[in-house]
């Protein structure tokens, strides 16, 4: 099983699989808001961008990750990234994450429109479980994930080490193929308001 790296598009965003020509636009979108990066497992901020990008490209080439640059169609600008990563083909499970948006793209249609496309693509590809995880101290992210309709399944204690060396607890959410029709309807209703 593989999730094909297709361009995904709706009224609000176009998700473009990472390619060399997108590198500098992605760098510009992510090289902001150092405080937001401070709680992430890895960082693409400043001097860390090249290693972050190269790691994604390596995993993309190996078929493990499908990273996307998110282009806001209203101004044709790359405003962030999101990905389907850590694919487990034998279990038909993938994680939706590594999401970061420029501050001026937060709070509107970009995030839910991106998630709508990525979730549809995952389930159309035969995935039965999409996991979405976040740091236990990131209340804003937890609220956004819950607003999507993902089910909070618990906390993985002392689960990951952030790039700053902090040992973090991870809050685990998931959307299954059985949940998807309701989650999709919820997202569609939300996006109709934009």
């Amino acid at each position: 099983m593989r999730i094909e790296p297709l361009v995904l598009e709706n009224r609000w965003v176009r998700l473009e699989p990472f390619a060399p020509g997108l590198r500098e636009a992605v760098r510009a979108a992510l090289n902001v808001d150092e405080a937001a990066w401070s709680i992430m497992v890895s960082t693409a901020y400043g001097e860390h961008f090249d290693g972050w990008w190269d790691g994604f490209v390596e995993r993309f080439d190996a078929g493990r990750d499908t990273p996307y640059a998110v282009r806001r169609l209203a101004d044709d600008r790359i405003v962030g990234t999101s990905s389907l990563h850590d694919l487990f083909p034998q279990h038909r499970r993938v994680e939706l994450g590594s999401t970061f948006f420029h501050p001026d793209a937060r709070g509107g249609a970009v995030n839910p429109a991106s998630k709508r496309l990525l979730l549809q693509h995952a389930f159309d590809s035969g995935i039965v479980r999409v996991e979405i995880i976040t740091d236990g101290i990131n209340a804003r992210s937890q609220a956004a994930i819950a607003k999507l309709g993902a089910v909070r399944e618990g906390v993985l204690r002392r689960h990951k080490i952030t790039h700053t060396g902090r040992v973090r607890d991870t809050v685990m959410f998931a959307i299954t193929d059985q949940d998807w029709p309701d989650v999709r309807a919820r997202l569609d209703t939300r996006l109709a308001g934009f």
Side-chain angles (χ1 to χ4, degrees):
M1 153 173 256
R2 179 178 168 95
I3 297 176
E4 293 300 323
L6 305 176
V7 173
L8 308 172
E9 185 173 338
N10 57 26
R11 281 182 42 203
W12 302 275
V13 294
R14 181 169 53 250
L15 277 53
E16 303 172 26
F18 276 14
L22 293 169
R23 185 179 188 126
E24 293 311 311
V26 170
R27 182 192 310 267
L30 303 187
N31 195 27
V32 294
D33 198 1
E34 186 176 10
W37 283 110
S38 69
I39 65 169
M40 303 287 200
V41 172
S42 62
T43 181
Y45 185 81
E47 66 187 19
H48 304 284
F49 178 82
D50 291 320
W52 178 90
W53 175 274
D54 293 343
F56 260 112
V57 169
E58 181 179 306
R59 293 186 304 276
F60 177 66
D61 291 343
R64 289 186 45 226
D65 292 359
T66 308
Y68 288 93
V70 178
R71 184 179 301 276
R72 182 171 51 196
L73 294 178
D75 59 5
D76 198 39
R77 188 174 129 227
I78 299 294
V79 293
T81 63
S82 199
S83 72
L84 294 169
H85 61 91
D86 293 331
L87 173 65
F88 284 84
Q90 69 275 30
H91 301 298
R92 294 169 48 199
R93 181 179 85 219
V94 73
E95 186 178 326
L96 192 165
S98 294
T99 301
F100 188 91
F101 293 116
H102 191 281
D104 74 10
R106 297 175 190 161
V110 170
N111 186 44
S114 298
K115 295 296 191 288
R116 173 65 170 85
L117 289 169
L118 289 169
L119 288 164
Q120 185 71 59
H121 187 44
F123 291 119
D124 285 351
S125 298
I127 293 295
V128 298
R129 176 183 170 84
V130 176
E131 296 173 345
I132 308 173
I133 65 173
T134 192
D135 196 313
I137 66 171
N138 193 340
R140 180 179 175 170
S141 178
Q142 290 175 55
I145 296 166
K147 191 173 181 178
L148 290 172
V151 174
R152 186 181 193 272
E153 296 183 331
V155 177
L156 305 174
R157 297 175 308 134
R158 300 183 67 75
H159 179 242
K160 292 190 175 192
I161 310 293
T162 70
H163 71 95
T164 64
R166 180 177 57 86
V167 180
R168 86 170 205 184
D169 293 343
T170 296
V171 181
M172 172 71 75
F173 292 82
I175 299 170
T176 70
D177 56 341
Q178 295 171 333
D179 303 327
W180 175 232
D182 289 338
V183 171
R184 180 179 56 221
R186 184 178 184 156
L187 275 168
D188 288 346
T189 298
R190 185 173 163 196
L191 286 166
F194 291 105

